[in-house]
Amino acid sequence: MNAFKRICLFIFGIAGIIALTTLALPWFGPWTRGATALMSTVWYATMVKVALGVTALGVLITLGRAIFSPSKSKTVVVTKQSGDEVTVTTAAISSQAAHIVEEDHDYFAERVTVVAKRRGHVRVFVRVRPAHAINVTEEGARLHARLEEGLAALCGKSIDRIVIEFVEPDSLDPKPDYLDVAEPVEVTQYESAAYEPASYEPLAPAAAEHPTEITVPMASPVEAPEPREE
């Protein structure tokens, strides 16, 4: 809401309160006679008439907007050909705008509002939260161009206006340049103590032909004791 609409609504609200109060005082409360007597004074009667006029004008404007203002459309006509139409929903436009903003992971789309006007005109409002501190002048123009190109591929020439609002970034530090790495450090090979492998002497040919036999002595079986005679 711009400043002009805000001022008009403020004046309309104040005038309505004054009109209702001045008209209700002669009817209710112990000050009925005093309020009725005030109506005979010039300044009081003028104030009541001005308040009534402003209130009446505001009521008529509000009523006219309620009757004649078109409802917000949820679809946008992209093309028309021989009676056929191709439409796209405002939800699809909002999702595409959020995807374009967040595809580089440098920005986050906090809120995307799509308003479809008459004759297929579309206005897109995007609130963007950067991940790092940026140059808004340069990055804003680049992001605006990306949104124009990406949304034109979805809904053609229906985009009438794109508004980008930047909020406070997550970090006040600039984006780190991951490609700018330091020079590689030469790593020297660790010189460990040399350990000579244990020497292995093959068996002599005779020993290889006649391997050493290992004999395991077997214990003799134990005889069972004879049963005693009682």
Side-chain angles (χ1 to χ4, degrees), residues 6-169:
R6 192 180 300 273
I7 293 173
C8 290
L9 286 177
F10 179 78
I11 294 175
F12 172 66
I14 294 298
I17 293 173
I18 294 174
L20 289 176
T21 303
T22 54
L23 291 178
L25 284 178
W27 296 347
F28 304 101
W31 45 78
T32 302
R33 294 183 180 180
T36 304
L38 283 175
M39 293 297 296
S40 60
T41 59
V42 178
W43 67 269
Y44 189 81
T46 304
M47 181 186 67
V48 173
K49 292 177 182 178
V50 172
L52 286 175
V54 174
T55 305
L57 180 62
V59 169
L60 289 177
I61 293 175
T62 305
L63 182 62
R65 292 191 62 181
I67 296 174
F68 300 106
S69 294
S71 59
K72 292 183 179 180
S73 178
K74 295 184 178 180
T75 59
V76 179
V77 178
V78 179
T79 57
K80 290 183 179 181
Q81 187 176 3
S82 64
D84 298 333
E85 294 182 353
V86 177
T87 62
V88 62
T89 63
T90 55
I93 299 174
S94 176
S95 178
Q96 179 69 7
H99 173 71
I100 293 171
V101 171
E102 298 179 350
E103 62 181 352
D104 290 341
H105 305 288
D106 293 334
Y107 308 102
F108 302 97
E110 285 196 344
R111 186 178 65 186
V112 180
T113 305
V114 180
V115 179
K117 296 291 185 179
R118 295 179 180 178
R119 300 178 182 178
H121 296 291
V122 179
R123 295 182 179 181
V124 182
F125 303 89
V126 186
R127 176 175 290 180
V128 179
R129 176 169 52 87
H132 303 278
I134 61 171
N135 187 339
V136 177
T137 304
E138 297 178 0
E139 296 297 327
R142 186 177 66 85
L143 185 58
H144 189 276
R146 284 172 48 193
L147 285 171
E148 281 186 341
E149 182 180 358
L151 295 180
L154 180 64
C155 49
K157 299 180 180 179
S158 301
I159 300 298
D160 183 40
R161 186 180 180 187
I162 298 176
V163 178
I164 302 175
E165 179 185 359
F166 286 95
V167 298
E168 184 179 0

